Amino acid sequence: MSVKETLNKDYFAWNRQVYQRLKLALSLGLRRQIFFAVCDDVQVRNQVATRLHSNLAYPLGQVLHRSDVGGGMSTPAYPRLVTLRLNLNDPNPIGQINQWLANYPPPMVGVSPDSAGHTLPIPAFQIVGIELLTKQAVAVQRLFLNYLRLSEQYFSHQDSSQFLESSLLFWLPRPWFYAIQQSAPNFWQYRNGIFTFAGEPTPTVEKGDHPEDHSTSYSLNLDEFDQSILDESITPPAPKDQQFQNVNGVRGEDFSVQTRGKVEYQPVRDLSLTHINKELQELVKATVKTNTIEDGDENWQVQQILWEIEELHEQQTSGQHLAAAYQKLGNLYRLQIEEGESSLDNLMVAILAYQEAVSYDDTSPQLPDMLNDLGTLYWMLHRSSANRSDGQTYIEQGIEFYRLALKLITPETHGETYARVQNNLGTAYGDLARFADPVENWQQAVLAYDEALRYRSAEVDPLKFAACQNNLATAYWHLGQYSQPMEHLTKAIAIYNLALKYYNPGEEPLKYAMIQNNIGTAHWNLAQYENPAENLKLAVKVYREALKYRTPANLPNACAATQNNLATAYWHIAHLPQITKEEKPRFLKLCIISYEEALNLSYSIKDMPLSFDLLTTHNNLGLAHYELVSDLSFKGDKNILSQHLEAALDNHLRALNGLNHQPEVYQTTFNYIIKVIRTFHEELGVQGQNLALSKVPGQLIPEVLPKL
């Protein structure tokens, strides 16, 4: 093991995952990207930085560009990643980068009698040695921060400096990480990602060890369900589209994946793959299940494609042939992902393979489809990321690929592809709105969906047309949460109803029910602003229609979500001013029935996500039970009153038990409990209060008694 032995073993798994994310971010080669890698352990920092340089500096092998016999221009391999140690005498990282580029400008390659050639791209840069500033004079430290503040000017203009054409990675210990945040806030705001590595703080003594292999393989959860009323706020479903489909339905090379079953497993060919990106090889190796007979044929295809790529490299064949081979590899993994095998390793192999294909042939007619696929693969990565900063970086990279794809096509020549990419772009902007600038990003989503619908025909493909309409309506719903609610929610309802026309409940019952649920949610929301009685009754109507097709048997979690929504709508109807005292109990009883159904279903299912908060539902159910019997018009006997008060207390206690880390909600729920216990005493005397206190956990009694 090359990482120091004293390092906690848990660090390895964490650092492997962070390394993979950082490597992916740098390998894209996008412009105007600033990343910060935070690491207090200098030895770990050196190991990871060395590995990044090893994998990314010359990822295609040492011979990238060779002149043809009889002419042309021969150049040495030009790096994709450059590692620079901060000059402590003049700690100006941007100045160092510009000086390096002045000394080593990107060479011209591909010059021939028939071609003018092209310039290689600006490499990415990683800056190390910033931790050594700690030992320098205060004046030097301030000078470094001042240089960062001065460099802000570069980012305010599109073409101020060459280094803006690449990605920058700053390696920092935590003290300098915080110092930049505080002392160069404008520079800090241009960051695109933060990658934190675990390790023990060490003195700034550097060692040149190499790290262990950084690989991981965990599964991604790509299932999506429409969301529902969550207490007093609603979150409708995230839009979804067919992600990898293209104009002809199947994209890429025409190669077959045979049906899994009995196959004759063939031994792995002994061939040294010296020209293929080592990281790509390692990732492929991690995905190959050589001991699984039923997967043997698929694994054999992977090996065959790798051998083909290696032989093409050895033959120094054209970029088009290499690109086609790499694309074939990406296609194979894309198919695995479509079939549900969406592990991080599979995603990364597909990404790296497509990026290699693009780098070898940027004129391929398949390029727009590959860029669309790259956008979708990064969208999938963002859905799997537990780190908020990483998630935002991935979705922004996905958007960049979608936009690149759109630059290469026109709706007149690639109508269906253009519409699909616009729809995917809208989905990506909607997800980006969760991280920053929600109004702006939802507006961008609306523009993208609108553009997609201009080139999606209901006559040609009614279901895709309807799906895009659903996405557009959801975008308007979200805009309504921030501005012009009546206008945006009214548009959302109209567009949802338009989408609904294309879903036959007999043929597409679940999608039909999903849109009915969404319409109900929009009506519920609109009721907060206008015509509450009319909109709430419409919400109840469409929720009940949705529940005809969202049943406990076919989709219990979605059924529970709609029951939860229906209950909340009944609650609000019960409190309309025009509802009489005689009518109110009926709606409260309907509310209780739906909340109980939602909770019973939720606790009966396992391993299925819920789109509403169970603790909130328990609190709401407790309030409904309490209000049913606390009203002066209640005519039930003492036994019925006691049953409802007990149900109210049980539900509030159930909610309180899970709210230890939410102080404000905890206090509100605690106050509900006190109110119920007081009502026990008022209505049922000391015996009733004792019954209530017998249900309260012992540790709460000292807190409850002084409040009574």
Side-chain angles (χ1 to χ4, degrees), residues 518-590:
N518 294 350
I519 294 171
T521 297
H523 275 298
W524 179 93
N525 207 182
L526 187 58
Q528 316 307 307
Y529 302 98
E530 65 177 16
N531 302 327
E534 178 184 352
N535 278 302
L536 286 172
K537 289 177 181 178
L538 286 170
V540 166
K541 179 181 178 181
V542 293
Y543 284 143
R544 292 179 68 87
E545 178 69 13
L547 287 170
K548 293 179 182 178
Y549 305 96
R550 281 186 163 183
T551 67
N554 65 15
L555 205 57
N557 55 342
C559 179
T562 302
Q563 287 283 9
N564 186 70
N565 293 353
L566 178 61
T568 304
Y570 279 134
W571 167 270
H572 284 279
I573 290 176
H575 291 84
L576 289 172
Q578 59 265 51
I579 296 298
T580 65
K581 291 182 178 180
E582 291 74 24
E583 291 177 305
K584 185 176 180 179
R586 180 170 69 88
F587 288 110
L588 287 174
K589 289 177 182 178
L590 290 170

Side-chain angles (χ1 to χ4, degrees), residues 74-334:
S74 178
T75 67
Y78 193 66
R80 288 187 179 180
L81 175 68
V82 174
T83 303
L84 297 177
R85 182 172 294 277
L86 185 69
N87 180 1
L88 298 178
N89 296 320
D90 183 20
N92 181 1
I94 305 305
Q96 280 186 255
I97 292 171
N98 284 332
Q99 185 59 54
W100 190 94
L101 289 170
N103 294 336
Y104 307 101
M108 180 73 72
V109 297
V111 176
S112 70
D114 301 321
S115 174
H118 65 276
T119 304
L120 290 181
I122 302 294
F125 291 86
Q126 63 172 342
I127 308 296
V128 299
I130 295 174
E131 75 283 351
L132 298 176
L133 285 169
T134 305
K135 295 184 177 182
Q136 303 301 306
V138 174
V140 176
Q141 298 176 15
R142 290 178 177 172
L143 182 60
F144 168 70
L145 294 171
N146 187 54
Y147 276 131
L148 294 186
R149 288 191 290 268
L150 290 175
S151 67
E152 295 161 6
Q153 63 182 305
Y154 294 122
F155 295 92
S156 61
H157 301 88
Q158 290 293 320
D159 299 307
S160 299
S161 180
Q162 266 193 309
F163 81 86
L164 291 177
E165 297 299 320
S166 67
S167 301
L168 308 184
L169 170 63
F170 291 85
W171 283 96
L172 304 163
R174 278 180 175 80
W176 279 102
F177 177 71
Y178 299 133
I180 292 175
Q181 285 181 261
Q182 296 171 6
S183 302
N186 290 333
F187 179 82
W188 170 255
Q189 75 176 0
Y190 289 108
R191 71 193 184 281
N192 299 97
I194 300 170
F195 302 84
T196 303
F197 289 86
E200 301 295 335
T202 59
T204 54
V205 177
E206 302 181 81
K207 298 180 182 179
D209 295 339
H210 295 274
E212 290 286 291
D213 171 32
H214 294 272
S215 63
T216 183
S217 179
Y218 62 86
S219 295
L220 304 174
N221 180 9
L222 301 176
D223 293 333
E224 294 181 70
F225 300 93
D226 57 316
Q227 298 179 2
S228 56
I229 296 175
L230 201 146
D231 193 20
E232 293 290 332
S233 64
I234 310 171
T235 306
K240 184 175 182 180
D241 191 29
Q242 292 183 339
Q243 300 299 328
F244 293 103
Q245 194 177 32
N246 90 321
V247 177
N248 298 316
V250 179
R251 189 188 64 71
E253 294 295 314
D254 181 17
F255 66 97
S256 61
V257 179
Q258 297 179 19
T259 303
R260 293 182 182 179
K262 295 182 179 180
V263 298
E264 182 179 352
Y265 188 72
Q266 304 183 54
V268 175
R269 180 178 170 188
D270 184 14
L271 177 65
S272 177
L273 305 175
T274 60
H275 295 86
I276 299 176
N277 183 335
K278 292 293 188 288
E279 194 65 21
L280 179 58
Q281 292 185 49
E282 293 168 2
L283 285 166
V284 169
K285 188 185 302 182
T287 67
V288 172
K289 300 176 282 294
T290 54
N291 293 324
T292 307
I293 294 178
E294 57 267 27
D295 291 321
D297 185 66
E298 190 170 274
N299 294 338
W300 181 245
Q301 288 188 58
V302 172
Q303 293 286 348
Q304 286 181 312
I305 296 172
L306 289 178
W307 300 333
E308 177 186 342
I309 293 172
E310 180 68 18
E311 290 170 355
L312 290 172
H313 275 295
E314 290 178 350
Q315 296 165 8
Q316 300 180 35
T317 189
S318 68
Q320 289 87 347
H321 286 94
L322 275 169
Y326 277 112
Q327 183 182 354
K328 185 184 294 187
L329 180 65
N331 288 344
L332 182 59
Y333 278 86
R334 176 173 59 83

Side-chain angles (χ1 to χ4, degrees), residues 603 613-616 618-619 650-663 665-666 669 673 700:
Y603 289 119
D613 181 46
L614 288 176
L615 301 181
T616 299
H618 275 295
N619 259 338
D650 288 342
N651 277 283
H652 289 318
L653 287 170
R654 187 82 174 259
L656 190 77
N657 189 49
L659 293 171
N660 294 327
H661 302 295
Q662 302 179 49
V665 184
Y666 181 95
T669 304
I673 291 170
L700 283 179

Side-chain angles (χ1 to χ4, degrees), residues 284-558:
V284 169
K285 188 185 302 182
T287 67
V288 172
K289 300 176 282 294
T290 54
N291 293 324
T292 307
I293 294 178
E294 57 267 27
D295 291 321
D297 185 66
E298 190 170 274
N299 294 338
W300 181 245
Q301 288 188 58
V302 172
Q303 293 286 348
Q304 286 181 312
I305 296 172
L306 289 178
W307 300 333
E308 177 186 342
I309 293 172
E310 180 68 18
E311 290 170 355
L312 290 172
H313 275 295
E314 290 178 350
Q315 296 165 8
Q316 300 180 35
T317 189
S318 68
Q320 289 87 347
H321 286 94
L322 275 169
Y326 277 112
Q327 183 182 354
K328 185 184 294 187
L329 180 65
N331 288 344
L332 182 59
Y333 278 86
R334 176 173 59 83
L335 289 174
Q336 293 182 28
I337 293 166
E338 287 178 325
E339 293 171 358
E341 298 178 18
S342 52
S343 68
L344 179 60
D345 287 336
N346 280 352
L347 286 171
M348 290 173 62
V349 171
I351 286 172
L352 291 177
Y354 282 140
Q355 287 177 185
E356 293 286 12
V358 172
S359 71
Y360 277 101
D361 184 9
D362 58 6
T363 62
S364 169
Q366 300 292 333
L367 186 58
D369 291 308
M370 282 190 286
L371 292 173
N372 175 67
D373 284 2
L374 281 167
T376 299
L377 290 163
Y378 272 96
W379 175 84
M380 295 173 77
L381 276 181
H382 120 269
R383 285 295 177 97
S384 72
S385 175
N387 182 288
R388 181 177 177 84
S389 178
D390 290 352
Q392 182 174 349
T393 298
Y394 291 146
I395 198 62
E396 287 173 345
Q397 290 169 346
I399 287 172
E400 182 74 14
F401 277 119
Y402 288 139
R403 289 202 166 279
L404 286 173
L406 290 171
K407 289 180 181 179
L408 300 177
I409 57 178
T410 65
E412 292 75 22
T413 59
H414 298 77
E416 188 176 343
T417 301
Y418 181 85
R420 184 178 66 258
V421 179
Q422 286 285 7
N423 185 80
N424 290 348
L425 181 62
T427 301
Y429 271 119
D431 283 353
L432 184 58
R434 302 175 186 176
F435 298 96
D437 303 320
V439 174
E440 178 184 347
N441 284 313
W442 279 116
Q443 287 173 340
Q444 290 294 329
V446 165
L447 291 175
Y449 289 136
D450 265 331
E451 187 69 7
L453 284 168
R454 291 179 60 193
Y455 301 96
R456 275 196 168 165
S457 168
E459 291 74 22
V460 174
D461 197 332
L463 293 184
K464 282 188 179 180
F465 179 82
C468 196
Q469 292 282 7
N470 177 66
N471 295 349
L472 177 61
T474 300
Y476 273 119
W477 185 95
H478 280 283
L479 277 177
Q481 311 309 302
Y482 299 98
S483 66
Q484 301 175 289
M486 290 184 287
E487 177 184 346
H488 289 139
L489 291 170
T490 300
K491 284 184 178 179
I493 291 169
I495 298 170
Y496 277 136
N497 277 298
L498 179 60
L500 192 65
K501 295 178 180 178
Y502 298 95
Y503 288 110
N504 184 319
E507 298 174 358
E508 297 279 353
L510 298 184
K511 291 180 180 178
Y512 172 84
M514 177 196 72
I515 296 181
Q516 290 283 17
N517 181 79
N518 294 350
I519 294 171
T521 297
H523 275 298
W524 179 93
N525 207 182
L526 187 58
Q528 316 307 307
Y529 302 98
E530 65 177 16
N531 302 327
E534 178 184 352
N535 278 302
L536 286 172
K537 289 177 181 178
L538 286 170
V540 166
K541 179 181 178 181
V542 293
Y543 284 143
R544 292 179 68 87
E545 178 69 13
L547 287 170
K548 293 179 182 178
Y549 305 96
R550 281 186 163 183
T551 67
N554 65 15
L555 205 57
N557 55 342

